[in-house]
Amino acid sequence: MNMESSNTSSRSRTSTGATIAVVTPDTIALSLKSPAFASPSFAIPDEWQPYVHPQGWVYFVNRARKIITEHDIRDVDVRQKIEVHSQEYPPETLDEDMEVQLHESFISLSIIATVSRLTELKTSKMLQWMNAIFIMNRQRRLYWNFLWRFPSHIEHCPERAVKDASDALTWFYTDNLISGRASTVPFSKEECDELRSLLQELTPQQSVAKVHFLAWLLREVCSFRNAEDYGLHTEKDLRRIKQERKQPDLSASDPTVMLPTIFPVFSCLITILFFGIPRSYLIHIKRSLEYRGRLNNMQQTWEAYITRLTREYSHFLLISTVLLSATVSFLAVPNVSRGSQMASIISVFSSLGSIVLGVFSIWRHQGSTKRTDSYAYMRNARHGWLGIYGHAILLSLPAALLVWSIIAFMVSIMVYTASDVASDSPLVRASSWISLALFLIIIVAVGFAVHSLSLMWTFQPTDFGLRARLRWFFRRVIPLSRSTATLV
């Protein structure tokens, strides 16, 4: 064994080649000179008490002057600044349950009182200043935020904390049951169950972790109520405001909204070239843009959006692959007319385009399920050069190309069948006409079925059934034709 020694440490190499470091007292002495092991060079005055936050950082409390600060009062200059600014709030002018928090650059000062005083002392000056429930809720949020940041010096946890937290969680759970995925409360049913079970396990004894947990929970409750304009609006106005919040404002980012003259062009493009397919993707994109008050719902909406796209593109990819194989096989048939060949080549190109876009879209979308991916995606979709409508058209390209490929393949088959109509053989001519007739019947039936099924999922204000159409024909068209004939 070879040994290497020095003044601070020694190393040894084993038979396997591993190196072992042997620490000596000199090494420890050098390590203690690191800033990580440095001790404060200033002593803490007697009137100040240090407290450690559950996250590990320290803050200081002066109970005689009722001052709390997160600044390092062990620094003489900092302590002098604090003493100067604290003179603006003499302790004799503060109530018993009030404290002064000095933070940031000693400019922002806030007086904090307990929740019990906010609700019980109705004659206090603070409650007179809070002349509305909305303002009171904001002050409660400030108080719980203060308690969340400085929980270690609290001697008694507010008595109403557990009860208020339990009542809030009960309502959140109830709203999840009533509204389902449309619920905007900050916690899901599973989270409410977990938080309520934790509340039931809290002991009556005072604990820093208990105060910190309750302060965080009630701060979130008050923040949610503040965001929902708690105590400001009537039921009718609040429903209208929530409905407006659900609808994303696309006017600032959509070129079809900013330029109304372009919208008819987009509409014709969507209807004629893309068979109206982009409209379904447009609805899906707008639903994915909705924010319902809880990030968990937004994450679920984004995952559903990605799952639907990858599933649809997988189906399109399978059909395009089968159609491409059939078209290539058809091109190998001898004595195919030039028109049939051109239609088949168009079908091949369309199938290839659908396959390429489908494969790329599946590869790109299925790995982007994070919340940050959804933010970037939706922002680029809204603020892109094409806007929401253009993005919907791009998403519909695999399906539209597949439809054009099917149409081109049908045309090639029809042209191939019609090439035998002028044959010298009567049997061949008859079979060609029969095939064309069957082809036309199938085309009409398929078109009627596609049209009916497309309208099936859209609410129709009137009856558009066959009986209604016949009734309208016999009641309106036939009497009108008879009256016209009489006049003539």
Side-chain angles (χ1 to χ4, degrees):
M1 179 181 296
N2 296 327
M3 300 293 295
E4 297 178 4
S5 60
S6 64
N7 295 330
T8 58
S9 64
S10 61
R11 296 186 177 182
S12 62
R13 186 174 299 275
T14 63
S15 58
T16 59
T19 302
I20 302 175
V22 181
V23 181
T24 63
D26 294 337
T27 306
I28 299 177
L30 290 175
S31 301
L32 291 179
K33 293 180 180 180
S34 172
F37 292 93
S39 59
S41 57
F42 307 114
I44 301 177
D46 295 337
E47 63 270 17
W48 291 91
Q49 291 82 35
Y51 291 91
V52 180
H53 192 271
Q55 294 180 346
W57 51 274
V58 64
Y59 66 94
F60 303 91
V61 178
N62 190 326
R63 295 190 179 276
R65 297 187 179 184
K66 297 184 177 181
I67 298 174
I68 297 177
T69 182
E70 67 270 26
H71 293 282
D72 193 356
I73 55 94
R74 294 168 293 189
D75 190 337
V76 178
D77 296 335
V78 174
R79 187 167 67 249
Q80 289 177 353
K81 292 180 181 179
I82 292 178
E83 291 176 354
V84 170
H85 288 277
S86 65
Q87 293 177 1
E88 300 178 7
Y89 296 90
E92 58 271 9
T93 61
L94 302 176
D95 292 343
E96 181 181 359
D97 294 331
M98 288 187 178
E99 293 174 332
V100 177
Q101 176 192 348
L102 298 175
H103 56 88
E104 299 301 331
S105 58
F106 309 108
I107 297 177
S108 178
L109 304 176
S110 57
I111 300 180
I112 309 299
T114 60
V115 174
S116 59
R117 292 182 59 83
L118 292 178
T119 55
E120 295 175 3
L121 299 183
K122 298 184 179 181
T123 58
S124 65
K125 296 181 180 180
M126 184 172 291
L127 191 59
Q128 292 177 3
W129 178 68
M130 288 185 255
N131 54 5
I133 299 178
F134 177 74
I135 301 178
M136 182 184 296
N137 182 73
R138 294 183 62 182
Q139 292 300 315
R140 287 178 177 176
R141 180 178 61 83
L142 292 175
Y143 167 74
W144 291 118
N145 183 68
F146 164 81
L147 217 62
W148 176 72
R149 297 195 63 219
F150 307 105
S152 302
H153 75 287
I154 303 298
E155 297 180 353
H156 302 286
C157 183
E159 297 179 358
R160 290 191 51 179
V162 177
K163 180 179 180 299
D164 290 345
S166 179
D167 291 344
L169 290 177
T170 301
W171 163 243
F172 291 162
Y173 189 89
T174 304
D175 189 75
N176 276 287
L177 292 176
I178 296 174
S179 304
R181 294 193 61 180
S183 175
T184 59
V185 296
F187 303 113
S188 62
K189 290 192 297 183
E190 295 76 12
E191 292 171 339
C192 289
D193 287 334
E194 186 175 356
L195 290 173
R196 284 196 299 181
S197 63
L198 188 57
L199 277 177
Q200 295 174 357
E201 295 176 0
L202 293 178
T203 58
Q205 288 77 14
Q206 180 65 13
S207 170
V208 176
K210 174 183 176 181
V211 175
H212 189 259
F213 167 72
L214 291 173
W216 166 80
L217 179 57
L218 291 172
R219 185 195 63 170
E220 295 299 318
V221 172
C222 294
S223 298
F224 166 73
R225 291 175 176 175
N226 187 36
E228 294 291 319
D229 297 334
Y230 184 79
L232 280 183
H233 305 290
T234 60
E235 180 184 7
K236 182 179 179 181
D237 294 338
L238 192 60
R239 287 182 178 179
R240 177 180 55 82
I241 293 173
K242 288 184 177 181
Q243 188 65 27
E244 292 176 354
R245 289 175 179 175
K246 291 180 180 180
Q247 303 297 332
D249 185 14
L250 304 178
S251 59
S253 58
D254 200 335
T256 60
V257 178
M258 292 187 294
L259 301 176
T261 57
I262 302 180
F263 183 75
V265 178
F266 271 91
S267 181
C268 294
L269 191 67
I270 289 173
T271 304
I272 298 175
L273 296 181
F274 294 88
F275 311 99
I277 299 174
R279 292 191 177 93
S280 62
Y281 285 98
L282 180 63
I283 296 174
H284 197 44
I285 292 174
K286 289 183 176 181
R287 288 177 180 175
S288 301
L289 287 173
E290 293 181 357
Y291 174 67
R292 300 182 179 274
R294 190 164 62 223
L295 292 178
N296 188 28
N297 286 345
M298 193 170 185
Q299 177 68 19
Q300 294 177 359
T301 304
W302 172 250
E303 291 178 355
Y305 175 76
I306 295 297
T307 302
R308 174 179 174 177
L309 285 182
T310 54
R311 183 177 63 250
E312 289 181 352
Y313 289 153
S314 299
H315 296 164
F316 298 153
L317 181 62
L318 177 61
I319 299 173
S320 298
T321 305
V322 175
L323 184 60
L324 178 62
S325 177
T327 308
V328 172
S329 300
F330 179 76
L331 285 174
V333 175
N335 300 326
V336 177
S337 64
R338 185 58 182 171
S340 182
Q341 287 181 352
M342 291 181 61
S344 299
I345 293 173
I346 294 174
S347 177
V348 168
F349 287 155
S350 300
S351 298
L352 287 175
S354 179
I355 291 173
V356 171
L357 288 175
V359 170
F360 178 79
S361 299
I362 293 174
W363 168 74
R364 195 64 184 90
H365 283 87
Q366 66 182 358
S368 303
T369 57
K370 296 181 181 179
R371 191 175 298 168
T372 54
D373 297 331
S374 65
Y375 298 154
Y377 183 93
M378 294 305 173
R379 185 190 182 280
N380 295 333
R382 294 181 59 177
H383 298 275
W385 182 71
L386 296 176
I388 294 294
Y389 286 88
H391 187 68
I393 291 176
L394 294 179
L395 291 177
S396 65
L397 273 177
L401 289 175
L402 176 59
V403 175
W404 279 115
S405 178
I406 294 174
I407 292 176
F409 184 72
M410 291 170 58
V411 170
S412 65
I413 296 296
M414 184 177 64
V415 172
Y416 177 76
T417 305
S419 62
D420 293 332
V421 172
S423 176
D424 297 334
S425 174
L427 183 60
V428 174
R429 290 199 304 269
S431 61
S432 298
W433 282 110
I434 293 174
S435 300
L436 288 176
L438 292 175
F439 178 79
L440 292 176
I441 293 173
I442 293 174
I443 288 297
V444 172
V446 170
F448 179 77
V450 170
H451 177 71
S452 300
L453 292 176
S454 62
L455 295 178
M456 190 65 64
W457 307 105
T458 305
F459 176 76
Q460 303 295 337
T462 57
D463 187 6
F464 287 93
L466 180 60
R467 295 179 59 185
R469 293 177 185 272
L470 293 176
R471 191 184 306 115
W472 176 83
F473 179 79
F474 285 109
R475 289 182 178 179
R476 297 291 180 89
V477 178
I478 294 181
L480 182 62
S481 60
R482 289 178 179 176
S483 61
T484 304
T486 304
L487 292 176
V488 173

